[in-house]
Amino acid sequence: MGPLAELRGITKTFGAVVANDSIDLRVLPGEVLALLGENGAGKSTLTRILYGLSQADSGSILVDGSEIRMHGPADAMAAGIGMVTQEFSLVDTMTVTENLMLAGSGLGRVNRSAAKAKVLEAAARIGVAIEPDAVVGTLSVGERQRVEIVKALFHDCRLLILDEPTAVLVPQDVAVLFESIRRLTADGMGVIFISHKLHEVVEIADRVSILRRGRIVADVPAEGLVPAQIAAMMVGSADPVAEAASGDVVEAEALATAVGLEAPGAGVAAGAGVGAGAVAGAGAGAAAGAGLPAGELSRSGVLDIDRITLAGTGKPLLDEVSLTVRAGEIVGVAGVSGNGQTELVSVLCGMTPASSGAVRVDGADITRLDVTERLRAGLGRLTEDRRGSVVLNLSVEQNLVLEDLDRFRTGPFTNRRRIKEHVAGLMERFDIRAKPGDPIRSLSGGNMQKVLLARAISREPKALVASQPTRGLDVGACEYVYSQLRALRERGAGVLVISEDLDELLGLCDRIVVMVSGRIAGDVRAAETSREELGLLMTGMTAGAGAHS
Amino acid sequence: MDFPLLAVLAATLTIATPLVWAALGALINERAGILNLGIEGTMYAGAFVGFLTAVTTGNPYLGLGTAVVAGLAAGALMGLLTVTLGVNQHVAGIGTTLLLVAACDFTNRLLFATGTQQAAASFERWFPGLGVLAQYPMTFVAFLVLAPLLWWVLRSTGFGLRLHAVGENPEAADAAGIPVARTRYAALMLGSALMAVGGSFLTLSLLGTFTLDIVSGRGWICIALVIFGRWKVWPVVAGALLFGFTDALQLQLAITPLFSGVPNELLIAFPYLVVIAALAVWGRRVRYPGAYLTPYRRA
Amino acid sequence: MKILLRAGESRWLAPAAVLGAVVLTLLLTAGPIRLAGANPVAAYQRYTINPLTTPGGIGDVLLAATPLLFTGLAVAVAFRVGYFNIGAEGQFLAGAIAATIPGLYLPGLPAALALPLAAASGALGGLLWGFLPAFLKRRAHIDEVVTTLLLNPVALLLVQGLLNGPWRNSETGFPDSDRYGAGYTLPTLAEGSRVHWGFVIGLALVVVVFVVMSFTPLGLRLRAAGQSPGAARFSGIRVTTLQFRSALVSGALAGLGGAVQVLGVQHQLTASISNGYGYTGVVVATLGALTAGGVLLVSLLLGDIAVGAQNASIALQLPTQMGAIVSSTLLLAVVALLAARRYRVVLRRPFVRRRSTAERGDS
């Protein structure tokens, strides 16, 4: 049987960076091809090219053996290629049916009732229920994803690209998704499945292709692969199969963890300690975290969240969240994204007023304070939206002092000399590799995070809220962030880390709470828990083993 | 005092006509995500070009046709600036208005240097037997054809869905294979053509001549009406009627002895203030199209 | 052909774009100038160089630049924080009206009292005219663009209403106000010149705005709020408050401009007092890159063109509106080319292997 689609010699460069380096790839009918690689390996560039959202510098795309000229997604769709990305391509203000009618409806009259019937039929084909007249903006994440898949089927899609489809799903929705994928491949459809969760990959994939630095480094059947082997191939050991076979699974696991992958296979066996050790690098941090004497922990909270509620349109986004971070403690917040973490951070940072409840920093009520007053009260902030936390058009120097301008004024004027000294000190101390006058938009993610760390930590906050502090960063930058957070803890501050990366939380935190549907669903000591227990808590089930506290 | 209600209502329709054309044009633009502050200049250009053609050819239909062409050109200019180049829409719109007004004034001065106002061949009212109730053809077209047709197009055609999508979430539209730039150009050109027709109504139907203050902020009124009507056809038409009614009312009051002491200009200003008040009451925290004021580029 | 976003930007591109825009403007406006029967080169010479060749001409340029300094600053101050005040026209008129009140009703005041009073009154008038949109924006999130725009024709109607009603000229009966008391005359800078102290006030305000924007924490906050409101809010900057206050300052600046115009030039209120200065302020501020220095430069440039356009209308029978065509074309050309510099054009069909034709197009 010939391949459904084939990529030949696809090359794409962005400036000096080669995102895709003459890539060959083929997908067979009825096959799930897992496309793997670290962040920045070129996966999304490749899929964007295949879907016509981006044009390759050279190379060709063949569907059913004939070359397709790809000028835009319309060409991809016409060729039977569909894509579902993490960020859904749905118009929130339209109904499900209208969204599905968008593509290929032409300019003339649209036939709503026929489209509605088609929606129901496509939904039945993947075995889910969808309300065709529902406005998309009112649907849950899982429902929207199903709409996306139905949308692809709507246009007689035969090759479906799923870009990290499970990143935003609760386990129940993942099960539904996998069932849908199986139904589709049984019909002869090809699926390209991109994921960071290797246990999912081994569960669903028929074949695994691995990208590293823009090149395909492995293309092997999934049959019999274990996550550790895949991880080893991804981070690039010389002979992956031999290494995995030699039993050096733990090292591969550590490597995988370091690049932000979830590889639970070995994690189960080795327990939380391995994950922690991997994150801590030398493993010393984990010991320090676990070794705090009980007396220290009983100290009063530096960050005290007291029954915070945030009303939503339907059920509350935050529902009586209570949580205390004590001095010298790092507390992690785990949870599937969309369960209130973003809202909690927003409330703590002073961007959204809480509907009820109180937040105290070192005993002082900051609930009604504005951002500046919160900072003065000793709150530090590090959010997941780094580019939204800096003014991109201003310089590194200006961004570093933006929150402290009043400290650098002489009369009504800015004291530039003092700013220069202050900034030079910060850039030295936090190893920011840029010139003070550089526009901050030109900085890499890691460097930008260092600027934000410098801005937050240099004020010596009593409590620091750090949301997804290492998302998108390379290994070195992650390590740096961890070391700074630990150092802050050692200096007696409390740190609240919100992360979707369980290994990160297990390695960094003293205590971990789990958020489900805007509530705190569990509170466990990091040293005494496991990925499994946390995973169970994240699904909203009360863990039998959760009685540590 | 007899209040001539029928006459005021008839005048309401007449006065609302150019606003319906232009505001629905602005609605199409904004549905596609573009605030077109070129509207004032585009109406002005439609008024002037239509007038000029009618004066030279003696045919108001030709005037209407050239006004449409002028509108298409103005829309294409806005498209070049805001869609292709991604220029700030406020600046592009104000610049377009200034350019169009200056160009029309320049030509006007060049051709009619003597300053005498020329009368152009203009549209006659239909059904003159109805007296004060008789209306111009473009009034019938505005209320009986344009508004229902646009309502249907926006709701039940692929073009309507495309406009909604490129104005709300151009990334999604692009992913659905909709040509975002081309759709926005189409919206701008179509919408600007409607604005120009609205402008031409002032010269070709209402006045039969061209004056420098002929549009006098009606374009800005239309922008307000679109927000007031929350980007929906019938509420925008209702807003135009509201303005038309207050304007007709002030015209009536101006010739009522009771109000003879009130300066005419203050009465003329009244409808503008009513629109601002309406905006203040019903325009609070409206939900703008998702991609309003935002140029689209593929990442 | 394909248009792609540039990865980086070289330093010479922005100046090159501005230069290109000037050339483009000259090319685009040459057609209508020819059409009007004039020689484009002669016209451009009149528009740009001639006014600057005589002391009187330079004076006229400064005089023409004076109201633009105020409205340009007004628009720049507001745009800078992301408040799109397009109502400088109405605020300018409101300022002129407000300055007229003491001028007509307290005619006997000596200059030392009259001028500050009238100027303050004008600034207050502009501020009040800008207050409603700013208030509605802050309280009810009502788009300031629409409300500021709508108040422009209302202000003009107010001027006309006053001039046709209570302020009709008592001697001539024309719709111009009476002349103000003697104390309400801004002195000229030099004997025989028409340039008045309003220009100096404008210059002083340029300096004040420059210093505030460049050397104070407030300036940095304003810039942050305008460029990235979300990030500014995150950093504890009260964006809506800053916008509100800037809107009022903007209105006051435009209103002061209106006051200066009646006190320095007309010495009475007339319906044609504004002449579109408020809308031109948008041109000035945009071309001046929303900076104080830029506003000064562009005001002088547009003043030069305006004086040149007056000259050309007499000497070349070229209607004065050509000046407005030139300045609005220049605005659009500059913003267009500055935007275009972010893209590079690739003359190659996407996604096929390079072929000989494609490579020819690429070079």
Side-chain angles (χ1 to χ4, degrees):
Chain A
M1 196 161 39
L4 199 56
E6 193 174 356
L7 298 172
R8 285 188 190 160
I10 296 291
T11 296
K12 173 80 178 175
T13 55
F14 294 103
V17 181
V18 184
N20 287 166
D21 188 357
S22 90
I23 286 179
D24 296 317
L25 196 73
R26 34 180 25 204
V27 189
L28 302 173
E31 171 184 66
V32 178
L33 170 69
L35 188 60
L36 306 176
E38 306 175 41
N39 286 332
K43 293 172 310 217
S44 49
T45 305
L46 190 65
T47 49
R48 286 176 64 84
I49 289 171
L50 181 54
Y51 192 58
L53 280 169
S54 173
Q55 269 81 43
D57 300 334
S58 65
S60 52
I61 296 176
L62 286 78
V63 176
D64 291 331
S66 52
E67 182 170 345
I68 306 284
R69 281 199 183 158
M70 210 68 91
H71 298 287
D75 297 325
M77 268 180 265
I81 299 170
M83 178 150 98
V84 177
T85 57
Q86 269 174 291
E87 276 153 35
F88 301 136
S89 301
L90 296 171
V91 182
D92 280 359
T93 47
M94 285 183 169
T95 66
V96 171
T97 311
E98 282 172 338
N99 264 290
L100 299 185
M101 285 191 298
L102 262 184
S105 64
L107 295 172
R109 200 168 113 75
V110 289
N111 189 338
R112 256 166 219 275
S113 49
K116 236 183 251 183
K118 246 176 111 180
V119 173
L120 295 172
E121 181 197 313
R125 207 176 129 199
I126 61 167
V128 299
I130 287 175
E131 167 54 51
D133 287 328
V135 173
V136 167
T138 64
L139 299 180
S140 75
V141 177
E143 286 170 320
R144 286 185 208 200
Q145 188 177 65
R146 287 168 213 153
V147 174
E148 282 281 4
I149 294 172
V150 164
K151 190 165 86 177
L153 299 181
F154 225 64
H155 314 111
D156 302 319
C157 155
R158 289 172 304 136
L159 171 62
L160 184 61
I161 306 164
L162 298 171
D163 188 0
E164 296 203 39
T166 61
V168 291
L169 298 185
V170 296
Q172 289 79 356
D173 280 338
V174 173
V176 174
L177 173 69
F178 281 9
E179 178 55 28
S180 296
I181 293 177
R182 289 194 189 97
R183 281 173 183 244
L184 291 172
T185 47
D187 278 359
M189 192 154 165
V191 172
I192 295 180
F193 182 85
I194 297 170
S195 177
H196 279 264
K197 300 180 182 172
L198 300 185
H199 60 284
E200 290 176 358
V201 169
V202 295
E203 183 183 344
I204 195 79
D206 299 309
R207 198 153 53 83
V208 174
S209 280
I210 293 173
L211 272 171
R212 197 165 66 229
R213 294 198 195 121
R215 315 188 71 128
I216 297 274
V217 292
D219 186 358
V220 295
E223 183 86 52
L225 277 184
V226 297
Q229 288 171 305
I230 301 175
M233 288 189 277
M234 286 174 67
V235 296
S237 33
D239 187 353
V241 180
E243 183 162 323
S246 78
D248 200 0
V249 172
V250 173
E251 189 192 327
E253 177 69 11
L255 281 165
T257 309
V259 298
L261 293 166
E262 289 184 38
V268 177
V274 171
V279 174
L292 273 180
E296 290 283 309
L297 286 183
S298 68
R299 281 207 309 225
S300 67
V302 284
L303 177 64
D304 193 11
I305 303 167
D306 186 7
R307 281 173 296 153
I308 282 289
T309 296
L310 181 64
T313 41
K315 67 185 179 83
L317 299 166
L318 295 176
D319 190 2
E320 302 224 326
V321 172
S322 291
L323 178 61
T324 300
V325 183
R326 298 179 188 90
E329 185 185 36
I330 299 183
V331 176
V333 177
V336 179
S337 77
N339 274 288
Q341 299 96 316
T342 312
E343 289 79 7
L344 179 63
V345 171
S346 180
V347 166
L348 293 179
C349 291
M351 305 306 286
T352 311
S355 309
S356 67
V359 181
R360 284 179 286 272
V361 169
D362 204 20
D365 191 337
I366 64 162
T367 322
R368 304 269 166 265
L369 300 188
D370 69 15
V371 171
T372 311
E373 292 161 339
R374 277 169 198 243
L375 294 175
R376 213 170 288 148
L379 182 76
R381 305 160 311 151
L382 214 52
T383 72
E384 56 193 277
D385 182 14
R386 285 196 274 279
R387 293 176 75 82
S389 305
V390 294
V391 180
L392 289 168
N393 286 333
L394 295 183
S395 68
V396 173
E397 173 179 288
Q398 288 166 326
N399 272 292
L400 274 171
V401 297
L402 198 57
E403 291 174 351
D404 304 277
L405 283 171
D406 288 324
R407 269 168 53 198
F408 301 101
R409 73 154 83 207
T410 309
F413 298 108
T414 314
N415 187 330
R416 293 197 165 179
R417 196 178 47 79
R418 285 213 343 254
I419 287 185
K420 277 210 163 57
E421 288 167 9
H422 175 73
V423 166
L426 286 184
M427 293 183 73
E428 166 93 40
R429 178 177 157 201
F430 288 88
D431 188 29
I432 298 164
R433 288 170 205 165
K435 284 196 278 296
D438 287 348
I440 199 156
R441 62 162 72 248
S442 67
L443 265 57
S444 70
N447 252 335
M448 202 181 277
Q449 187 70 324
K450 284 180 183 173
V451 169
L452 291 166
L453 266 173
R455 191 164 79 178
I457 290 181
S458 65
R459 310 172 129 258
E460 288 301 326
K462 294 169 189 150
L464 178 72
V465 177
S467 177
Q468 319 293 349
T470 61
R471 181 179 280 175
L473 301 188
D474 62 34
V475 184
C478 289
E479 275 309 321
Y480 186 82
V481 172
Y482 297 143
S483 68
Q484 286 294 334
L485 296 183
R486 288 204 186 90
L488 189 64
R489 169 180 64 186
E490 305 316 323
R491 294 199 296 275
V495 181
L496 186 68
V497 177
I498 295 90
S499 176
E500 279 162 42
D501 185 341
L502 288 185
D503 296 314
E504 171 172 294
L505 293 176
L506 285 166
L508 186 64
C509 301
D510 304 304
R511 201 151 56 83
I512 298 175
V513 301
V514 177
M515 276 191 86
V516 179
S517 307
R519 291 164 158 272
I520 298 288
D523 185 343
V524 293
R525 298 281 308 252
E528 296 163 12
T529 188
S530 64
R531 298 180 50 85
E532 286 61 49
E533 187 187 14
L534 290 174
L536 211 58
L537 287 168
M538 282 160 62
T539 64
M541 287 178 266
T542 35
H548 293 297
S549 44
Chain B
M1 181 189 82
D2 278 333
F3 185 75
L5 183 64
L6 275 182
V8 167
L9 291 180
T12 296
L13 289 177
T14 311
I15 293 166
T17 301
L19 298 172
V20 169
W21 282 97
L24 291 182
L27 180 147
I28 294 173
N29 290 178
E30 294 184 29
R31 274 286 183 104
I34 292 163
L35 170 69
N36 186 355
L37 293 184
I39 185 171
E40 182 85 2
T42 305
M43 290 180 76
Y44 199 78
F48 178 71
V49 171
F51 162 76
L52 189 60
T53 311
V55 165
T56 35
T57 65
N59 185 338
Y61 289 94
L62 277 179
L64 191 63
T66 51
V68 167
V69 173
L72 293 173
L77 174 63
M78 270 302 283
L80 175 71
L81 291 167
T82 60
V83 180
T84 305
L85 294 170
V87 168
N88 174 311
Q89 292 180 10
H90 298 123
V91 171
I94 290 292
T96 300
T97 286
L98 291 176
L99 177 62
L100 290 173
V101 169
C104 291
D105 286 354
F106 175 79
T107 316
N108 183 43
R109 184 68 188 284
L110 214 55
L111 298 177
F112 309 110
T114 50
T116 52
Q117 287 191 353
Q118 303 254 340
S122 57
F123 289 105
E124 299 294 328
R125 288 177 189 258
W126 283 355
F127 311 117
L130 291 176
V132 291
L133 297 182
Q135 296 287 348
Y136 295 103
M138 297 321 282
T139 304
F140 287 97
V141 180
F143 288 98
L144 300 180
V145 181
L146 174 68
L149 184 68
L150 184 62
W151 175 75
W152 179 79
V153 165
L154 290 179
R155 200 178 159 275
S156 306
T157 68
F159 181 66
L161 287 180
R162 286 175 174 208
L163 277 186
H164 186 164
V166 299
E168 194 64 40
N169 186 344
E171 289 80 9
D174 193 5
I178 294 171
V180 176
R182 223 182 307 159
T183 306
R184 286 186 164 175
Y185 261 97
L188 273 170
M189 292 175 70
L190 178 64
S192 299
L194 297 185
M195 295 169 189
V197 170
S200 77
F201 180 86
L202 300 169
T203 47
L204 295 180
S205 298
L206 211 52
L207 292 181
T209 187
F210 177 79
T211 62
L212 294 182
D213 60 349
I214 193 148
V215 181
S216 62
R218 281 188 179 80
W220 312 143
I221 292 280
C222 291
I223 297 291
L225 292 179
V226 174
I227 296 172
F228 166 80
R230 306 193 175 197
W231 299 271
K232 293 193 176 74
V233 171
W234 295 114
V236 168
V237 171
L241 287 170
L242 171 72
F243 179 90
F245 179 70
T246 50
D247 207 23
L249 198 63
Q250 69 85 7
L251 286 173
Q252 185 61 40
L253 293 180
I255 54 171
T256 306
L258 188 65
F259 286 84
S260 59
V262 181
N264 196 24
E265 290 79 5
L266 298 188
L267 288 172
I268 298 174
F270 176 59
Y272 291 87
L273 297 173
V274 168
V275 169
I276 294 174
L279 213 52
V281 176
W282 289 291
R284 297 165 155 258
R285 298 171 192 274
V286 289
R287 199 191 160 283
Y288 282 80
Y292 197 63
L293 300 177
T294 320
Y296 176 65
R297 295 270 161 250
R298 266 187 208 161
Chain C
M1 193 181 99
K2 250 193 96 51
I3 297 174
L4 299 171
L5 214 61
R6 270 178 204 282
E9 185 188 303
S10 42
R11 288 190 175 278
W12 54 267
L13 264 174
V18 172
L19 201 68
V22 171
V23 173
L24 184 65
T25 304
L26 296 182
L27 290 177
L28 286 173
T29 49
I33 291 175
R34 279 232 72 98
L35 214 65
N39 179 345
V41 177
Y44 297 143
Q45 196 190 341
R46 296 231 162 238
Y47 281 5
T48 53
I49 298 168
N50 274 23
L52 303 178
T53 50
T54 62
I58 292 174
D60 287 346
V61 169
L62 297 184
L63 191 67
T66 303
L68 299 181
L69 270 182
F70 287 91
T71 56
L73 274 184
V75 173
V77 161
F79 275 36
R80 201 74 210 239
V81 266
Y83 180 89
F84 289 97
N85 176 18
I86 314 185
E89 181 78 8
Q91 291 143 16
F92 186 92
L93 290 170
I97 293 172
T100 301
I101 297 172
L104 293 181
Y105 296 111
L106 297 169
L109 285 188
L113 284 177
L115 287 175
L117 176 66
S121 174
L124 186 66
L127 184 147
L128 288 177
W129 206 254
F131 175 79
L132 181 68
F135 178 77
L136 288 177
K137 160 99 170 178
R138 187 180 191 179
R139 276 300 145 95
H141 292 256
I142 289 169
D143 190 13
E144 75 277 17
V145 173
V146 182
T147 43
T148 52
L149 273 172
L150 276 178
L151 284 173
N152 291 341
V154 174
L156 184 61
L157 286 165
L158 183 60
V159 171
Q160 290 169 345
L162 287 166
L163 294 180
N164 282 322
W167 288 356
R168 187 183 286 273
N169 195 299
S170 56
E171 289 167 27
T172 62
F174 286 127
D176 302 325
S177 79
D178 288 344
R179 297 186 69 82
Y180 306 151
Y184 292 89
T185 303
L186 269 176
T188 53
L189 286 181
E191 196 67 37
S193 163
R194 290 167 64 217
V195 187
H196 52 82
W197 275 86
F199 182 75
V200 178
I201 298 173
L203 274 185
L205 288 170
V206 165
V207 172
V208 169
V209 171
F210 172 74
V211 167
V212 169
M213 292 308 293
S214 305
F215 298 109
T216 68
L218 176 64
L220 192 59
R221 290 198 179 104
L222 289 168
R223 285 161 66 187
Q227 278 168 349
S228 185
R233 217 167 276 133
F234 180 78
S235 292
I237 294 167
R238 295 170 194 208
V239 177
T240 36
T241 307
L242 282 185
Q243 282 183 339
F244 180 72
R245 290 183 186 162
S246 296
L248 298 186
V249 169
S250 170
L253 282 171
L256 185 58
V260 161
Q261 193 69 2
V262 288
L263 298 173
V265 181
Q266 311 263 9
H267 311 301
Q268 64 180 153
L269 184 66
T270 65
S272 61
I273 182 82
S274 170
N275 205 12
Y277 293 134
Y279 293 113
T280 312
V282 178
V283 181
V284 173
T286 307
L287 287 180
L290 309 185
T291 61
V295 165
L296 175 61
L297 278 180
V298 178
S299 296
L300 292 173
L301 172 69
L302 295 194
D304 186 29
I305 292 177
V307 172
Q310 289 293 344
N311 289 345
S313 77
I314 302 159
L316 305 173
Q317 269 76 53
L318 195 61
T320 50
Q321 286 84 357
M322 197 63 223
I325 294 184
V326 171
S327 56
S328 51
T329 306
L330 184 65
L331 169 74
L332 293 181
V334 168
V335 294
L337 290 185
L338 281 179
R341 79 174 200 272
R342 283 183 273 138
Y343 307 103
R344 62 198 164 92
V345 175
V346 178
L347 296 171
R348 176 160 53 79
R349 251 184 248 188
F351 215 68
V352 279
R353 281 175 199 283
R354 283 170 190 247
R355 300 207 175 97
S356 53
T357 51
E359 268 164 14
R360 231 183 302 138
D362 216 14
S363 52

